[in-house]
Every structure is written in C-alpha cells, then in structure tokens.
Amino acid sequence: MEVKAEARKYYEIDCDALVVGVFEGENPNQGSLAEIDKRTGGVLSSLIETGEFTGKAGENAYLHNPGDFRARRLLFMGAGKQDEFNTDIVRKIAGTSARLLRSKKARTFAFLRRSQLPIGESACSATEGALLALFDPDKYHTNEKNENHLETMLLATTEGDADELMRGVDRGRIIADATNLAREIINEPSNVLTPSELAKRAEEVAKKHGIETEILDETQMKEFGMGALLGVAQGSAQPPKLIVMRYTSKIRSDETIAIVGKGITFDTGGISIKPADGMEKMKYDMAGGATAIAAMAAIAQLKPPVNVLGIVPATENMPGGRAQRPGDVVRAMTGKTIEVINTDAEGRLVLADAVAYARRLGATKIVDLATLTGAVSVALGDVYVAVLGTDQTWIDQIIAAGRKAGEKIWQLPLDKEYRDQIKSEIADIKNIGGRKAGTITGAYFIREFVDDTPWAHLDIAGTAWNENTKPYLSIGPTGVCVRTLVNLICE
Ligand code: BES
Ligand code: ZN
Ligand code: ZN
C-alpha cells in the first residue's frame, strides 16, 4: 500500500473513505467538527446525541454517501479523551481503520488530521499503524487469504507541511516493514526456518541494505570455546549458526551497540522435555533473533551515527542420543563453567556465549532480547516487556524509547542477593534458579557473561505472540521491540 500526502481540503479528497477522528465528549456544534457535521447534514450530531457514537477509543461509525464530501464513505473513529491523545492512539486508529476498510473492499482512504501532534510524528505513527495492521500471517493458506484491495492511504495536509509529513511517512514505512519482516520470520514453521535458513535470511537482509554479515559455524564456535552454545546445539541434526550483522556508521563513532537476540528455532526443552500441549508455539523461540535481524534492516536504512552489531545464536533445542543431559557441565567462552540442571533453560546458555562474543567484537553497550522465561508472563502478562540490567541510564533510555514506540517496558530488579539462587555445588553457576523470581534469575545468569559492559536484557516471552486478534493487530507474532530498538538507536 502506498502512503501519500494530499494537500487538498478534506472534503475535496477523492477516495473510497475519509477517516475522521472524534474525541470523547467533543461537541459536534463547535470548532472544526461543526463544519464536518454540517456537511453530513447533521448525521454526526445525531450519532452523538443518541449515544450511538461517543468518541471513546475503539468506537466507530461508518456512513455511505456521507453528504457534501468527495469521499464516498465516511468513517468516524473514536479518538478517546483529548488530553490523553498520543502517537500510540494515532497508530491504533490508523490500524483499526485500515483493517476495517480492507474488509469493506476500499481501495483508497484518507486521514484527516485533527490533533496538535507534530505532523512528522503523527504521519510516522499513522503509517506504522496501518502497515502493521495489514500484516496477516497467512502465507501458508492456499485459499481463504484476506482479500486486500487497499492501494493508497492519503494523509491530508497543507502545502507547507508536505515535506515534513513525507519524512515521517518514510520513517514509518522503514520501521513497519522491519517489524513485519520480524513477524514473517517468527511465523515460519521450524521445518522451514532452521538455523541455516535464519542465517540465510539475515544475509539476504544485510545484502539488500548494504551491511556486512558473518556466519560462524560449529568449527569456529569450537575454536572460540563456545561450550554453552554448543551444548544446546549438540542434540540437533541441524547445524548451529552464530549470525553476526554489522552496521558501520559513516560518521566515526567510538560507540558500538550490540543487539543480541535469542535464536532457538525450535525449543522442545531437550531432555527436560516440554509437555506436548502447546509445544507447537515454541517455533517462536527465535523471536528475539528475528527482532535483532529486523532492527538491523531498519538501522541500515536510517543510518544512525553509531556502530551497531546484530548477533543471533541460532540453534534448535532437541532431545536425542547426542543431546546434553541434566547434570552436564559445560564451559562457556569466557571460561566460566555451568552445570546444566534443566536443558529447557537453553536460552540463557546460548546467550551466555553470544554476549561474550559481542564483547569480543568490541561492543560498548549490549541489549539482548529473548523469549527467555514463562515466568515473565506470570509477572507482567502480555502487556509489558520486562527489562533488567546493569546500567540504569541504558535501561532508562530503553524504557523511554519503548514509550515513544508505544511498547510498554517494565523494569524488574537484579540485586546481588538473587545470585545465590544460581550457585552450583560443582560448577561456577547452574542454569536454573528454582521456582522463585524466574525472570530475574534467568537474567542474572546472562549478567554473569557481560562483565562490566553496560547491558540490558529484554524478556519478550509474554509479548512476542498475540493470542487473540485485536482490531489493529492480527493474531500471531507481534514483532515487539523492533520499534523500541529502532527508536533507541536512530533518534
Ligand atoms: N523458551 C522458553 C521460555 C518460554 C516459555 C517462552 C513459555 C514462551 C512461553 C525457555 O527456553 C524455557 O523453557 N524456559 C523455562 C526456564 C525454566 C526451565 C527455568 C521456563 O520458563 O519454564
Ligand atoms: Zn526452553
Ligand atoms: Zn527457549
């Protein structure tokens, strides 16, 4: 779908549908709404007077032959309370309208801007919202695909604002395309998306956007002594890959940010095998890795003035005659020994070697993302991503970037006292910390391998998969944190 600026008066825009946001409690006889109401012949005021439409977020009213408009339909969208309006509501309104109008077989639709938000930001959010909403994970349906006739979204503006608006649209498209790329990769079944295939996709992305990649194979992992990653991988017939993507800023910078994403292309649990019920969902255990790859795609296009590494330890976690056993002791790249109590706590094992490798490659700051623990859903549900880390400034920046992106991130503590839970009798540490504070002990384990490099860990196990369709989002992978990371790195 194309997104264009349209400098005509809203009632002169030729389109299938014109979308107009209305605030909760807004008076249809005052201000700009009065003119719109008049053009509908008073239909808007009667919708409001009868209480059929109040402007609450999520409400809508859809009119055919709406009156004195070039548009053939009018879609009023509830925009919620005026003083609570923000870019995330723009995203949701744009997304809901796009999905609704797609189902009404519209080809072109236009948005009337009725808020005081900066035009670039609001255009960026509207573009993101619409493009994210139109993604559907239906690649493998051979029929029953969602019919989509949408060709163009028009953003009403004035002549003077068109450049700023289009800059917002371009950024919104880069970010939404990256997020949808992550969703597409996450949604792939594990028989298609093996570690080698994930590496291939990363290489394709890098090539397309002109950045470097390096894929480490098993032999190289052995040379580096990556015993934690190799221990997880040894149970699988699929060879593991350590994917490294590298964006180098044209403007010299001493800063190298590493985005490290968990890339378990299928998590059976290994010998500590998971129950059958729901196990199919464990194809999304590479969501952190896909997010890192997708964020690199956007970063390569937005060209921030810092160097960025995308690092994905990719492997399956399988049971079998060669699989690692509970009780095994492995040695990570840093030399630290790990007692593997539960082979299902494999994410932290592969990340241990991946964050160490990030440091070796010169990372000055690390952010890792992982579908690491079921416990994060118990703590925060599917609403908040958990962040934990060693550097409060870095954590605060991540939370702020999330807020701007419309992604909620909540910090959990990581005090020294929690380390007791991962003490081992026979090795330096063990890979699980018992029933209590599972998300924290999981993060603490990774902390043991980052040393003094400023580091933050995002646990996206509760938020990377949407269980129910929302008006602005399909069921399935959400691509959570792509937007946060891009906002974090590309101001
Ligand atoms: N990939 C899982 C975490 C997970 C669980 C993600 C449910 C999404 C939904 C991870 O590898 C895992 O199995 N973690 C264990 C850790 C435990 C053995 C300490 C968990 O959370 O149960
Ligand atoms: Zn697991
Ligand atoms: Zn896992």
Side-chain angles (χ1 to χ4, degrees), residues 334-345:
T334 60
K336 222 170 241 188
T337 56
I338 304 163
E339 184 184 10
V340 179
I341 301 287
N342 188 318
T343 64
D344 197 10

Side-chain angles (χ1 to χ4, degrees), residues 262 267 274 282 284-285 342 344 346 371-374 432 461:
K262 171 177 173 181
D267 183 11
K274 287 183 182 295
M282 280 301 128
Y284 95 119
D285 213 18
N342 188 318
D344 197 10
E346 83 297 341
T371 46
L372 203 78
T373 65
I432 60 167

Side-chain angles (χ1 to χ4, degrees), residues 198-207 210-216 242-247 293 296 310:
L198 186 59
K200 201 175 122 213
R201 305 255 176 134
E203 280 179 315
E204 283 167 9
V205 167
K207 200 162 162 214
I211 58 172
E212 297 168 89
T213 39
E214 191 193 350
I215 313 291
L216 270 61
L242 182 62
I243 302 164
V244 180
M245 300 169 84
R246 189 195 296 270
Y247 159 80
I293 293 169
M296 290 305 288

Side-chain angles (χ1 to χ4, degrees), residues 262 264 267-269 272 274 281-282 284-286 317 342-348 370-377 431-435 438-439 441-442 459-462:
K262 171 177 173 181
I264 300 293
D267 183 11
T268 64
S272 315
K274 287 183 182 295
K281 214 179 121 183
M282 280 301 128
Y284 95 119
D285 213 18
M286 32 57 70
N317 185 25
N342 188 318
T343 64
D344 197 10
E346 83 297 341
R348 60 200 75 180
T371 46
L372 203 78
T373 65
V376 79
S377 304
N431 77 330
I432 60 167
R435 266 171 37 79
T439 301
T441 52
D459 195 331
I460 57 171

Side-chain angles (χ1 to χ4, degrees), residues 345-367:
E346 83 297 341
R348 60 200 75 180
L349 293 169
V350 302
L351 288 169
D353 282 334
V355 295
Y357 194 61
R359 293 184 55 236
R360 203 194 140 88
L361 293 180
T364 52
K365 270 186 197 156
I366 300 173
V367 54

